[in-house]
Every structure is written in C-alpha cells, then in structure tokens.
Amino acid sequence: MEFYPPGPTGVPANLTATTLRYRLHAALVLLGLLTFAGLYLGSGIAALSLILWLFISGPGPSDFGWLVWMLEVLTVCIVTAFFFKAIFRRAPSQASTYDELLREQEPTLFEFIDRVCTDTGAPHPKHVYVSPDVNAAVFWDSSVSSLFWPVQKNLVIGLGLVNALTLDEFKAVLAHEFGHITQRSMRVGSYIRVVSVVMEDMIYGRDAWDDLLRAWCRMPIRIAVFAWGLTLALWIFRRLLALAYAGIHALNAALKRQMEFHADSVAVSVSGSDSLVRALHRLVFADRALSFATEQVGHAADRGLRTDNLFLHQLAAEDRLRETARDPSLGVPPDLPAEPTQALRVFDGGAFDRSPDMWASHPPNHVRELSAQRVYLRSVLDTRSAWSLFASPETLQRKGTAALYATGSSEKLTPAADVQAFLDREHAATQVDPRWRGAYEHRQPAFSDLASDLASPIVLDADPRAALEHALGPDLDALVSAFNTCYGESSLLQKVKEDGDVRRFSFRGRRYDARQLGGLLEQVNVESRRLMAAWEVFDVTMLHVHRALAHAQSEAAEAALVARYLFLHELLRLSADVASAKAQVESGLSSLLRGGRDHAYATVGSGWILLDSVLTRSHELMTLKLPNVPEGVPVADCLGPRRLPPGGLIEYRNLDAEWFGAFLSEADDIAYELDTLERMCWASIVRLHERIGDAG
C-alpha cells in the first residue's frame, strides 16, 4: 500500500532559497560568537601570562614578600580556573531520554523518512528516536568535533504528535525538520550550545570554586583582602557577562526565527501550503489535550491506577475539551475551499501581539501561516492517520507511557480503557442537570462562611418553593451571562500576564499596551468580586431552600444534606490552607532570591507547617460516598502517596531548588486532588437538591 502523499505542482525553483535577512542574522550571530570567543580566550591567555610573569619575577624583597607573592599567585590561579573550568563541562545527551527506532522494526516509517529526505535534499538522520511529546525535532550531541566539522543529525518524533496528525500533515512536519538539516547555519547551533554552557557556568554556576572563594573571604583580614576584591570584581564581571549572554541569545533567537521560515518553505515545497498550516492547527490543540491527559492520568495514578496507554487518554481529552467548549470542531482544521487557487486562513493572530517579533525564536502560527501561503501551493490531503506508518502503534504507545513512571515497568499498569472509565465516572460526577442553566459552571462554591450558614436558622423571604422559583428566574440568566463574560476576560488577562512577552492585546474591543494590564486586571477583579457576592446570595438561598424542603420531608433527609455541606466545608478549608501554604513558600523563595534570608526561612517554615497540618487533618476527615471514593475512609487516602520534603532543612537553612520544586509540586498535587473531591461533592449536593425538590 502506498503511504506517501503526493507533493504539490508548480513549485517555484527559488522557493527554498535563503533570504537576505536570514543571511544577515546568521552573520550577526557569528560576529557575536567571535567577539565573545576573542574576549574569552584573550582573558584566559592574559591570566596564564600573568601567572608565568609572577613565577619569573618571584616574590618581592620585603618581609611579607613571600606572602604577598603567594596570595597574588593564588588569586590569578583562581581567576584562571574560573575562565577555563566551564570548558570541561558537557551538556547531557538528549538521546538518553528517548527510545530508538530501528529500520528492521519500522520499515514503512523509514521508507517514508527516506522519501522525505530525497524530496528535501537532506541527508538521512543518523538515528531516529521517539518521545511521548507533541513535537518533532532534529538534534545532535555537542562535542568539540562538532565545532570543526559537520556531524550527523538525529530525528526525534513525538508520539503525541503522531497521535494527532494525518499522513500529509506528518509529511509536512518531517519536511520542516529536514529543512533544518539542510541549513548550513545549523552549525551555528553547535557554537551557541558550547558558548551557552560556558557562559551559564560562569554566570550562574556555583561549585567548589565558589566555596573556595567564600572560605578565603572568612580568613584573617590581611589574607582575605585579596578575596574580597576578587569577589567584588567577580560580581561586576558576572553582571556584564549576563548582559552579553542575553545579547547573544537575542541575536540567535532572531536567526532561529528566519530558520523557521526557511524550514517552513522547505515543507511547503514538498507537501504544499495547507498541510503545514493544518498540522500547526492540530498540534496546538493536541498539546493542550496531552497536557490535560497527563494531569488526569497522574490523578489516576495517585488512586493506584497507572495507565498503560497515555495516548488513548489524549484522544479522550480532545473530546472532553470539545465538550467543555461546546464546540465539536475545536482543534479540527476547516475544509479547503473548492477553488484550488484559494487559500484558507486558519489562524487569526489571537488576542494579543508578541513583543519584538524579530527577537522571537519561533514566529506565531498566524505569521507562519502568512509565510507558508506567500506562494500558495494547494496540498493533496491524505486523511489516514500517521500511525499507518508504524508496525506496532500500541507497543510504542505503551512503551512511551511506561517511561512516564519512575520504574518504567509495565507489570503493574492498568489497561487504559479501565483508567479512562474511572476518569469518565469522575467527570460524570461533576456534571449537573441543565435545569440550572449554567449556574454551577466555571466557579467554586461562593460561601464566605459556610459553617455559620449551616449553624444559623433557615431564613427565607417566602415559601421555599416560591423562593426557589424566584432564584431560578430571569435574573439567574443575567448573572450567568455576566459571570461567563467576566470569567473569559479574566482568563484572557491572566494569559497575557503569564505569557510575559506580550506587547499589545485586545480587550473589550480596544487595543491596550501591556503596561495597562494591571489596571484592567483590577477592574475585572472588582467585577468578579461583585459577581461572587451575587453567587453567594444564590448559594445561600439554595442551601436554605433545600434544607427547608428536606426538613419538611424528614429529619434524615435534612441530616444527609447538612452532612454533605459540612464535608464540603472541610474540603474548602483544606484547599484554602494549601493555597496559603504555597503562597507563603513562594513568597519565601522570592525573599531568599532578594537576599532576605531571615524573613525567607521564617515564611517558608510557616508554609511547610501549614501544608503538613493539611495532611494531618486529611487523615482525620472521613469521606462521604462519591464516585470512585468509598465512604468512611480518610481523605488522605484520596490524595495519593504524599511526601513533603524534610522540614528540618528549613531549620538548618539548607534549602535548594530541588527542595522548593518538591514542595511546590506536592502542593499542586494536593490542591488538584482536593479540587476533584470538591467538584464531585458540590455536584452531589446539587443532585441532592434536585431529588429533594422533585420529591416535594
């Protein structure tokens, strides 16, 4: 069977020629690298020459001549070591994290790769690997030899990418990657990688060299004076070097941008304009789906269910995201126009612009789409899955999934269908009847003091059923509409804030500068607080209405409803404390980076104690019956195997990036599990409201 989609017709001969801007950026990057190399080697040679001069000249004739001479030699030797120690560091090999594919295992795939190489004029990759990601890339191992002569490139194919693409789109993605291989400026990447390792070590590296300098600073003043001067000079040098580092990487980002455009043109030349654009469109959504699926299977693993196939969950996540967005075509490229010369725009540029485009290493997709359609070539679409090229897709999927777990073993993995059924039950448990018209979507319970609401007498302005009818009247639709608008606006502004490099963005039909973001966020937050106050009135009314109706039915019915609310109250308290603990530790980390050690360790200690208390209380709080949750077990059993990093390290002030990462990761996992319980409990309360209301 033929699996290779035909290419476009009428391809211009100069379509893949490099542009003047491309060559200019390549020249600027090389100039920056040569400048750094000259200064770096010149400084190192100067330091070595100074050592030689000191040994030739020997100590002075004064009483302290030998001591001064030895300190001078030691200072220069330490400086020399600072310059040259980074040369001996090597970046870890990327291949160690991937699984290699062999031609005899995947003959159809390798034949497909061979034909793409022939069409693009690229040399064949040395090795072909797979990873679990939504990505494809060429890479090579950095070595001294790669600085002087070409090395063969490797290809890595993300299984999450294969899971999303059709054959013609997969061909376009591979052609793009092989377009990179044909670029002579790829050699610059070897230089950049080596220079980055050296500069990062000199700027950010802290090792035995720094420990030696600190120990020298603690010696008697006559000996330490040289170390103090060297420390000051080192601080200034590192700041200047950081500026140079940023400059070189800005130039390299601009070059990479041109390289992306050129690789896109190579892909267009062999697969047409549409296949590349459609692939970009699918991959944006596929990446969202895989991230969501990874989060979901992590949750299932905390409950003892480790899936054997992440990629089945990726497809299920796509369906879930479409359901949530109420858009069955989400992530699906639109059909091509009937007129073969008419291009179709898929990307609209989004709601905001990136800051200086020329320094962005990857152009936005709407810009890449315009570039790919600069000379429009209609693609021949092939809707068969890219998995058609693989001999045993399920085996690869399971192997890629097993790599996500610490052991890498498949012995204790659960069939993906069973894990997905578990996740589907939980999702169904968070859904409520359409009669509520969206009143419980996109929000948490709005009680400011649920314990007091439960303890206070039932207060209603009318008969319970009349009060219920009034609460579900036209005002509810207006509240839901206003809240959904506010929710969307808040999500947009938060995305702008988190993105970090947005220059201008659209909001409420106007264009705004990034400097205006803070004021807009405050406006939306004020509106959000107003709406949540309205939701609190609604939620408290629902509590009193249904408690009154339940009381009229039986004491047992009222007790069951109150028990659900009390359980929700305790879950909300735990979640609030997790958020507070995380905020305290993040604040402590910020203080530590600014040098405020005493405040930092006090704040971090408070956060650790608070999160530890959450885990203790979770052992004391017993569950109510929920889907996938047995009744009467500690909530801690639903949080998975939690293990905080040792609190004793705070007392001894021995925290590092690994400690902070472990703590914040644990806090996020606990928050996720509590949120899942909250949503199921909240939905179970709403369904109980329905049964109480229907029974009356």
Side-chain angles (χ1 to χ4, degrees):
M1 183 180 292
E2 175 59 53
F3 289 106
Y4 195 74
T9 58
V11 180
N14 64 344
L15 181 62
T16 60
T18 57
T19 64
L20 176 62
R21 180 175 293 183
Y22 180 115
R23 295 191 294 273
L24 176 61
H25 282 300
L28 288 174
V29 171
L30 284 174
L31 179 61
L33 291 174
L34 289 173
T35 301
F36 171 76
L39 293 174
Y40 176 75
L41 294 175
S43 300
I45 292 171
L48 290 172
S49 301
L50 186 55
I51 293 175
L52 181 62
W53 178 82
L54 286 171
F55 274 105
I56 292 174
S57 62
S62 66
D63 293 339
F64 296 100
W66 275 98
L67 177 61
V68 173
W69 180 79
M70 289 177 63
L71 291 174
E72 289 174 342
V73 171
L74 178 61
T75 301
V76 179
C77 286
I78 288 178
V79 171
T80 305
F82 172 74
F83 275 101
F84 289 109
K85 65 188 176 74
I87 290 181
F88 301 100
R89 294 188 185 273
R90 290 192 62 184
S93 172
Q94 290 178 263
S96 61
T97 61
Y98 303 141
D99 291 317
E100 184 173 3
L101 297 180
L102 302 178
R103 184 176 290 272
E104 52 269 27
Q105 296 172 331
E106 300 289 348
T108 306
L109 173 66
F110 275 80
E111 180 183 345
F112 191 92
I113 291 172
D114 291 343
R115 294 184 67 173
V116 178
C117 288
T118 300
D119 284 353
T120 58
H124 294 265
K126 182 179 181 181
H127 300 286
V128 177
Y129 299 94
V130 289
S131 74
D133 309 313
V134 180
N135 190 29
V138 293
F139 71 97
W140 63 99
D141 292 330
S142 292
S143 62
V144 175
S145 62
S146 68
L147 300 178
F148 301 103
W149 53 78
V151 294
Q152 278 189 283
K153 309 300 188 296
N154 304 310
L155 172 68
V156 59
I157 301 170
L159 299 180
L161 174 143
V162 177
N163 209 31
L165 297 185
T166 63
L167 276 179
D168 67 285
E169 294 160 359
F170 185 63
K171 176 186 175 184
V173 170
L174 290 189
H176 172 93
E177 297 306 325
F178 292 144
H180 282 308
I181 295 180
T182 65
Q183 296 165 344
R184 288 184 296 176
S185 57
M186 284 289 281
R187 177 82 66 85
V188 175
S190 295
Y191 302 142
I192 289 287
R193 192 173 299 182
V194 171
V195 167
S196 293
V197 170
V198 172
M199 296 183 80
E200 286 171 5
D201 182 81
M202 295 174 73
I203 299 169
Y204 307 111
R206 301 295 185 269
D207 50 26
W209 187 93
D210 296 271
D211 295 338
L212 174 63
L213 186 58
R214 282 193 292 269
W216 188 4
C217 287
R218 292 192 293 266
M219 290 183 177
I221 187 169
R222 291 183 179 180
I223 299 176
V225 65
F226 285 89
W228 293 348
L230 181 57
T231 300
L232 176 61
L234 177 63
W235 183 87
I236 296 172
F237 179 77
R238 277 175 164 159
R239 294 301 179 275
L240 294 174
L241 194 61
L243 293 175
Y245 178 83
I248 288 177
H249 275 268
L251 291 173
N252 187 48
L255 172 59
K256 282 185 174 180
R257 179 181 173 85
Q258 298 304 315
M259 292 170 69
E260 289 299 317
F261 285 136
H262 176 262
D264 283 350
S265 68
V266 173
V268 169
S269 71
V270 301
S271 63
S273 303
D274 304 301
S275 294
L276 177 65
V277 173
R278 292 168 69 86
L280 292 173
H281 185 269
R282 284 193 203 274
L283 294 181
V284 171
F285 184 63
D287 190 56
R288 281 180 60 197
L290 186 61
S291 296
F292 180 73
T294 302
E295 192 176 64
Q296 291 268 289
V297 300
H299 161 65
D302 282 342
R303 299 289 184 87
L305 298 174
R306 302 196 309 166
T307 186
D308 67 351
N309 193 336
L310 170 65
F311 305 98
L312 180 147
H313 303 294
Q314 181 187 8
L315 297 178
E318 290 185 353
D319 293 337
R320 180 72 50 78
L321 292 171
R322 293 184 181 111
E323 175 190 332
T324 302
R326 296 188 176 92
D327 182 359
S329 65
L330 186 64
V332 180
D335 293 334
L336 297 180
E339 171 55 49
T341 60
Q342 181 182 349
L344 177 69
R345 291 294 307 278
V346 173
F347 299 101
D348 62 3
F352 42 83
D353 300 328
R354 308 287 173 183
S355 55
D357 287 340
M358 67 175 295
W359 308 119
S361 61
H362 274 67
N365 283 338
H366 73 280
V367 177
R368 293 180 67 178
E369 179 180 37
L370 288 173
S371 176
Q373 294 177 352
R374 177 174 50 86
V375 175
Y376 179 68
L377 301 174
R378 172 61 63 93
S379 296
V380 179
L381 304 186
D382 189 328
T383 58
R384 289 176 292 177
S385 169
W387 285 117
S388 306
L389 302 172
F390 292 80
S392 182
E394 286 194 9
T395 300
L396 277 178
Q397 291 167 6
R398 290 194 171 95
K399 192 173 182 181
T401 301
L404 296 175
Y405 300 110
T407 61
S409 170
S410 60
E411 293 179 4
K412 298 181 180 179
L413 299 185
T414 303
D418 294 343
V419 177
Q420 190 58 46
F422 168 89
L423 296 172
D424 289 342
R425 284 195 299 273
E426 284 199 348
H427 174 67
T430 64
Q431 305 304 297
V432 298
D433 194 276
R435 74 177 76 176
W436 303 106
R437 308 201 303 278
Y440 296 101
E441 293 182 5
H442 306 310
R443 71 178 184 92
Q444 293 181 312
F447 302 102
S448 59
D449 191 352
L450 180 54
S452 296
D453 293 329
L454 289 169
S456 64
I458 298 174
V459 179
L460 293 172
D461 295 332
D463 172 79
R465 294 203 173 276
L468 177 60
E469 184 178 350
H470 180 267
L472 297 180
D475 289 347
L476 177 61
D477 294 320
L479 178 57
V480 169
S481 177
F483 180 77
N484 287 340
T485 299
C486 185
Y487 176 82
E489 291 177 345
S490 178
S491 299
L492 169 66
L493 295 179
Q494 285 297 330
K495 183 174 176 59
V496 173
K497 181 179 179 180
E498 292 167 5
D499 194 281
D501 64 347
V502 172
R503 180 176 53 188
R504 289 181 60 80
F505 58 94
S506 298
F507 183 73
R508 295 178 179 174
R510 292 179 54 191
R511 300 289 289 172
Y512 289 91
D513 188 272
R515 291 171 296 183
Q516 299 171 283
L517 176 62
L520 294 174
L521 272 171
E522 181 56 29
Q523 290 180 29
V524 172
N525 288 338
V526 168
E527 176 67 6
S528 177
R529 288 192 291 269
R530 184 188 68 80
L531 292 170
M532 290 309 293
W535 280 127
E536 181 173 14
V537 172
F538 177 84
D539 288 345
V540 172
T541 299
M542 291 296 103
L543 165 61
H544 288 318
V545 163
H546 291 93
R547 188 175 176 185
L549 293 173
H551 179 76
Q553 293 171 15
S554 68
E555 291 185 2
E558 181 183 8
L561 180 62
V562 170
R564 292 267 159 185
Y565 270 109
L566 287 172
F567 183 56
L568 176 65
H569 171 63
E570 294 300 325
L571 291 176
L572 292 172
R573 287 181 58 203
L574 291 175
S575 289
D577 286 346
V578 172
S580 178
K582 182 180 177 183
Q584 288 181 39
V585 169
E586 289 175 335
S587 175
L589 175 59
S590 298
S591 296
L592 192 61
L593 294 175
R594 294 194 302 267
R597 296 176 65 84
D598 292 337
H599 175 266
Y601 282 99
T603 306
V604 170
S606 297
W608 188 92
I609 291 171
L610 184 56
L611 191 58
D612 186 57
S613 76
V614 167
L615 294 179
T616 300
R617 286 150 51 201
S618 71
H619 283 278
E620 300 166 354
L621 178 62
M622 298 296 136
T623 61
L624 299 181
K625 185 170 180 56
L626 295 168
N628 297 334
V629 178
E631 185 175 6
V633 302
V635 166
D637 291 359
C638 303
L639 303 184
R642 303 272 66 93
R643 187 174 181 180
L644 295 185
L649 294 180
I650 304 172
E651 181 180 351
Y652 292 104
R653 301 195 168 199
N654 193 25
L655 304 184
D656 55 15
E658 182 179 355
W659 190 96
F660 281 104
F663 182 94
L664 295 175
S665 176
E666 286 293 295
D668 286 339
D669 289 345
I670 295 170
Y672 182 90
E673 298 299 336
L674 287 173
D675 178 69
T676 300
L677 288 174
E678 286 168 20
R679 288 186 292 108
M680 289 196 296
C681 182
W682 187 222
S684 75
I685 289 173
V686 176
R687 285 193 291 274
L688 188 53
H689 286 175
E690 295 167 4
R691 291 197 296 273
I692 291 170
D694 294 343

